[in-house]
Amino acid sequence: MTLVVNGASRELRDGATVVDLLSAMQLSPERRGIAVARNGDIVLRADWVNTTLAPDDRVEVLHAVQGG
Amino acid sequence: MQSREAEPRDDLVIAGEHFRSRLIMGTGGAPSHDILERAVRTSGAEIVTVAMRRVTSGGAGSVLDVVQRIGCRVLPNTAGCYTARDAVTTARLAREALDTNWIKLEVIADERTLMPESVDLLDAAEQLVEDGFVVLPYANDDPVLARRLEDVGCAAVMPLGAPIGSGSGIRNPYNLRIILERARIPVVLDAGVGTASDAAIAMELGCAAVLVASAITRAEEPVLMAAAIRKAVEAGRLAHRAGRIPQRLYAEASTAHEGIADLTVHTG
């Protein structure tokens, strides 16, 4: 399936979860500092493992950067 | 000779947490993580702000590593949000990522002024307080808005001195004085500081702390400027506590007139 991750199209296998996406992005789900939003709403860390992504989902994967 | 009096502790207290430093440092604009780390260490800041942005290839979280090495409290912001909804969601994302319920709430109105969108700011502040956040809102220098933000339960209020990054100091010290006179929560000057004297003036007026980013990170020598602003904040705070003399139009002699010698020359 195709979805939009951080503004860019990305292919993931059907039924992939948030944890699968993070793994594909080479991000460890255990690592502090990452947050995920799906279609404008936060996906809590505890729900990453059982949140199944759907085609055309808009996913934002965020971390802390210099600012403010 | 008498020993020098021990300096009593004069902590900054926000939401029950104590800090020795009254300088909060924003991390935006630093030329590198290395310079940022040295500037933060030199500034003595115990609270530093970060922003939430998309992960790019190259890994996540390096600014967080800097903050953790130094041992500062991380204060995420909602920079770049134009609506209450975006700011509230960003605050929740930051809480999830960084395990902190502290948030520097920013809702800006437009890119040119970066001034706060006051209506959405108040709305977002209320929602976040309700949701258990310690809310530190970046606000206009509006005494009425400051009071409203206090009334909805913000832990501090952070009026701007001048637009973000403008480095033009405190443009309306009179409004700031009204805010300071009425506030029962810490008032932190946020935005506008261009150099050390601006920070000193904010502290002399009675601000509880000063938040500085660009003035340090974009100085020609960020580490030197961090040292200068640290001293300015400390000096300004001491001057505020010491109680300044009133400003007068005419002179007020510091030497007593009584007992002055009669040096008139008597001739003839």
Side-chain angles (χ1 to χ4, degrees), chain B residues 19-78:
Chain B
F19 303 93
R20 302 301 293 265
S21 170
R22 290 177 177 273
L23 174 57
I24 300 173
M25 204 176 138
T27 59
S32 71
H33 283 317
D34 175 55
I35 290 175
L36 176 65
E37 180 162 351
R38 288 191 286 135
V40 173
R41 285 187 192 279
T42 303
S43 76
E46 294 166 296
I47 306 173
V48 298
T49 68
V50 297
M52 297 302 293
R53 289 291 179 269
R54 287 170 168 172
V55 170
T56 51
S57 56
S62 43
V63 76
L64 213 51
D65 297 338
V66 171
V67 174
Q68 281 170 339
R69 269 202 297 278
I70 300 170
C72 292
R73 170 180 270 285
V74 64
L75 175 61
N77 67 24
T78 62

Side-chain angles (χ1 to χ4, degrees), chain B residues 81-234:
Chain B
C81 292
Y82 284 80
T83 64
R85 189 192 185 279
D86 281 4
V88 167
T89 304
T90 302
R92 288 178 178 147
L93 287 163
R95 176 169 66 182
E96 189 69 5
L98 305 174
D99 300 318
T100 176
N101 62 344
W102 285 41
I103 191 75
K104 178 189 168 186
L105 178 61
E106 294 181 43
V107 186
I108 55 166
D110 69 84
E111 227 169 280
R112 190 160 158 79
T113 65
L114 295 179
M115 281 189 183
E117 167 55 71
S118 299
V119 175
D120 274 43
L121 180 72
L122 187 62
D123 177 15
E126 198 164 10
Q127 291 184 49
L128 289 169
V129 168
E130 185 83 2
D131 194 14
F133 279 88
V134 171
V135 181
L136 294 83
Y138 157 66
N140 241 307
D141 57 357
D142 172 355
V144 179
L145 176 65
R147 172 52 66 89
R148 295 290 300 274
L149 288 164
E150 178 174 328
D151 288 345
V152 299
C154 291
V157 63
M158 309 211 293
L160 53 77
I164 291 171
S166 70
S168 58
I170 300 169
R171 286 188 180 168
N172 193 339
Y174 303 98
N175 270 23
L176 190 58
R177 280 171 56 189
I178 296 173
I179 292 171
L180 285 161
E181 204 175 284
R182 299 172 60 174
R184 289 158 301 187
I185 53 175
V187 176
V188 180
L189 185 86
D190 183 6
V193 168
T195 187
S197 53
D198 297 329
I201 288 169
M203 296 306 295
E204 286 174 4
L205 286 172
C207 288
V210 177
L211 196 156
V212 180
S214 312
I216 293 175
T217 59
R218 297 205 162 104
E220 281 183 35
E221 298 285 349
V223 181
L224 263 187
M225 188 57 89
I229 291 180
R230 174 186 192 155
K231 286 174 190 285
V233 168
E234 290 169 1

Side-chain angles (χ1 to χ4, degrees), chain A residues 4-64:
Chain A
V4 180
V5 179
N6 287 351
S9 288
R10 190 168 190 124
E11 288 295 325
L12 276 182
R13 65 166 177 77
D14 288 355
T17 65
V18 170
V19 167
D20 296 330
L21 169 64
L22 294 178
S23 300
M25 296 173 76
Q26 293 174 321
L27 296 169
S28 162
E30 282 80 40
R31 186 178 170 138
R32 182 174 174 252
I34 296 168
V36 177
R38 178 195 186 197
N39 299 327
D41 285 315
I42 184 167
V43 183
L44 296 177
R45 186 175 286 264
D47 297 330
W48 287 356
V49 70
N50 51 32
T51 297
T52 308
L53 298 169
D56 299 324
D57 271 357
R58 290 173 298 108
V59 183
E60 297 287 338
V61 182
L62 306 180
H63 70 148

